[in-house]
Amino acid sequence: MSQVKERTVGVVGLGLIGGSIAKAYSAAGWTVYGFDATPSIHQFAIIEGVLNGVLDRNSIRECSIVHIAVVPDAACKWMQEHAGELSKETLLIDDCGTKKAITELGFELAGRYGFTYVGGHPMAGTHLNGYKNSRASMFQNASMIVVPPTFDDINLFERVKKLLEPMGLKRVVFTTAQDHDRMIAYTSQLPHVVSNAFIKSPTAQQHKGYSAGSFRDLTRVAWLNENMWTELFLDNKEFLLSEINTIIKNLQEYADAMEHDDAARLCSLLRDGRIAKELSEKS
């Protein structure tokens, strides 16, 4: 007889994302079990009233959905160690920033043990990290990218959307692991690289009094978790290197135009960029 209970969620990893997931489900009235590699964190979350208990081999079988909110290598290790503990009625979803390697493993383990797995990536966060910076409203009006095992199972799509409702998402986007990683290289990973490189200019140390919104916007994500982003960049290096090489080429065109005092060429490049932005807003 199944032990799975409705409105019961498990969360592995209680950092910024996992902590926010736990708080969102708790605020929606769900029973929440959680685990963090630092025991004091999940113990504090229990005292705070966010968690109803620790996610272990007993409570995990009650969960209708389990979120894995740790970096890809740790997520893969957790799945390999705990896949056999999941009920066949449980939906397992990871919340990692790259999808190819982890979805390959997730689909294989789901087939072996009989539970349902989809890859996930909530498109929300801040430059801060840790449980102390998590909040229940983190995902309000955000997108969740989901990589399903197949694209012809409408019942699965509806099940995923229903189980993600407590997060308050604006939309759920279903795609492939390859398309996810290709797009994320541009929309998320490249901005972190550019921001991190931009702030290394010696001029940055004298910016006070000379900077406004554009400086703040461009440098916000330079403040990052270098260990996490190193893993994500290397996991997705093929797509990310392509985007880095493209922006280097584009920047060189601006530099060449200024080097030769070619006002017409520089104006044309700037106009092309403005038009590209307008088109991106309409798409």
Side-chain angles (χ1 to χ4, degrees), residues 113-133:
Y113 292 103
F115 60 86
T116 302
Y117 163 81
V118 296
H121 186 186
M123 302 308 298
T126 74
H127 61 282
L128 303 173
N129 56 56
Y131 180 80
K132 64 182 180 295
N133 293 303

Side-chain angles (χ1 to χ4, degrees), residues 248-260:
I248 289 173
K249 176 179 176 293
N250 289 339
L251 288 170
Q252 190 60 54
E253 291 183 354
Y254 291 92
D256 289 345
M258 287 184 279
E259 180 70 25
H260 295 92

Side-chain angles (χ1 to χ4, degrees), residues 200-216:
K200 291 177 181 177
S201 168
T203 312
Q205 304 311 313
Q206 294 103 41
H207 80 87
K208 290 183 180 178
Y210 295 86
S211 59
S214 56
F215 180 85
R216 290 193 300 271

Side-chain angles (χ1 to χ4, degrees), residues 104-115:
E104 288 177 355
L105 176 63
F107 294 144
E108 188 274 321
L109 291 172
R112 188 192 312 176
Y113 292 103
F115 60 86

Side-chain angles (χ1 to χ4, degrees), residues 3 33-35 54-63 78 81-87:
Q3 298 177 1
Y33 296 108
F35 172 83
V54 176
L55 184 69
D56 56 24
R57 64 172 54 251
N58 294 316
S59 59
I60 198 172
R61 295 193 64 81
E62 298 179 14
C63 298
W78 187 91
E81 293 177 351
H82 298 281
E85 300 170 1
L86 294 166
S87 167

Side-chain angles (χ1 to χ4, degrees), residues 12 41 53 128 130 135 143 156 236 282:
V12 180
I41 294 178
L128 303 173
R135 62 180 190 272
S143 295
L156 174 60
N236 203 31
K282 294 178 182 178

Side-chain angles (χ1 to χ4, degrees), residues 139-176:
F139 311 105
Q140 291 290 329
N141 297 316
S143 295
M144 180 73 155
I145 303 174
V146 173
V147 178
T150 178
F151 287 86
D152 59 1
D153 189 343
I154 301 302
N155 290 331
L156 174 60
F157 285 17
E158 293 303 316
R159 179 186 176 196
V160 169
K161 290 180 179 178
K162 184 71 174 177
L163 289 171
L164 294 178
E165 279 182 359
M167 295 174 68
L169 300 161
K170 182 177 182 179
R171 64 174 64 86
V172 177
V173 178
F174 293 92
T175 188
T176 65

